[in-house]
């Protein structure tokens, strides 16, 4: 699994988010967590999966095709995160292309890290 440079979430506490994020990275079992991903097979904008489903053998075999954009505490909250992502794409004048938005965030993160290195 790969994570977006900006993870959308409804988890308000930084401590709880970091704990959840680290468990996802380690593929530790958790309940009541939903992931918003880029479409695994290239159709649509985003997909929402229950995290427990992503622990199944099939998803572990295609781990390199899973790009996580959001982490939510319920399916309805995950749907709201998708709405937020689409709104953000609209506000920066990107077409409705989730992969282009993922690349935009990745390049933005690289640029910000380069600027930090120049200043530091």
């Amino acid at each position: 699994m790969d994570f977006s440079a900006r993870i959308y979430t409804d988890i308000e506490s930084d401590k709880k988010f970091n704990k959840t994020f680290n468990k996802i990275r380690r593929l530790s079992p958790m309940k009541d967590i939903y992931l918003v991903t880029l479409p695994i097979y290239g159709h649509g904008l985003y997909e929402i999966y229950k995290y427990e489903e992503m622990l199944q053998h099939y998803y572990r075999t295609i781990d390199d095709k899973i790009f996580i954009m959001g982490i939510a505490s319920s399916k309805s909250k995950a749907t709201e995160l998708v709405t937020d992502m689409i709104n953000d794409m609209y506000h920066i004048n990107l077409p409705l292309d989730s992969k282009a938005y993922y690349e935009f965030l990745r390049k933005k993160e690289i640029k910000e890290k380069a600027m930090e290195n120049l200043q530091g």
Side-chain angles (χ1 to χ4, degrees):
M1 285 185 216
D2 192 16
F3 293 86
S4 171
R6 176 181 178 193
I7 299 290
Y8 286 78
T9 187
D10 70 319
I11 301 170
E12 294 182 14
S13 161
D14 287 342
K15 184 177 179 180
K16 184 174 181 182
F17 172 78
N18 289 333
K19 183 177 179 181
T20 302
F21 180 80
N22 288 328
K23 283 186 173 186
I24 292 170
R25 285 186 43 214
R26 291 189 313 265
L27 300 175
S28 300
M30 286 184 296
K31 290 186 177 190
D32 301 324
I33 294 295
Y34 288 81
L35 302 177
V36 178
T37 70
L38 293 180
I40 293 175
Y41 294 104
H43 303 292
L45 282 174
Y46 296 102
E47 296 175 349
I48 298 172
Y49 292 93
K50 191 162 187 165
Y51 173 67
E52 293 168 314
E53 181 180 347
M54 301 300 273
L55 297 177
Q56 294 179 14
H57 176 72
Y58 172 74
Y59 291 102
R60 289 182 185 213
T61 63
I62 61 166
D63 190 63
D64 60 329
K65 294 182 181 181
I66 300 172
F67 299 96
I68 298 172
M69 296 289 293
I71 300 171
S73 58
S74 70
K75 192 168 186 176
S76 64
K77 294 290 184 181
T79 303
E80 290 176 22
L81 295 181
V82 170
T83 302
D84 292 343
M85 290 177 214
I86 292 170
N87 284 334
D88 288 349
M89 279 189 279
Y90 174 77
H91 289 299
I92 59 173
N93 295 320
L94 275 178
L96 284 178
D97 182 350
S98 56
K99 291 179 183 175
Y101 186 53
Y102 177 84
E103 287 299 317
F104 169 81
L105 293 174
R106 188 175 71 76
K107 288 177 183 174
K108 184 176 178 184
E109 179 191 41
I110 291 169
K111 184 177 179 182
E112 288 171 355
K113 284 183 179 180
M115 292 303 289
E116 286 175 13
N117 290 337
L118 286 175
Q119 294 172 358

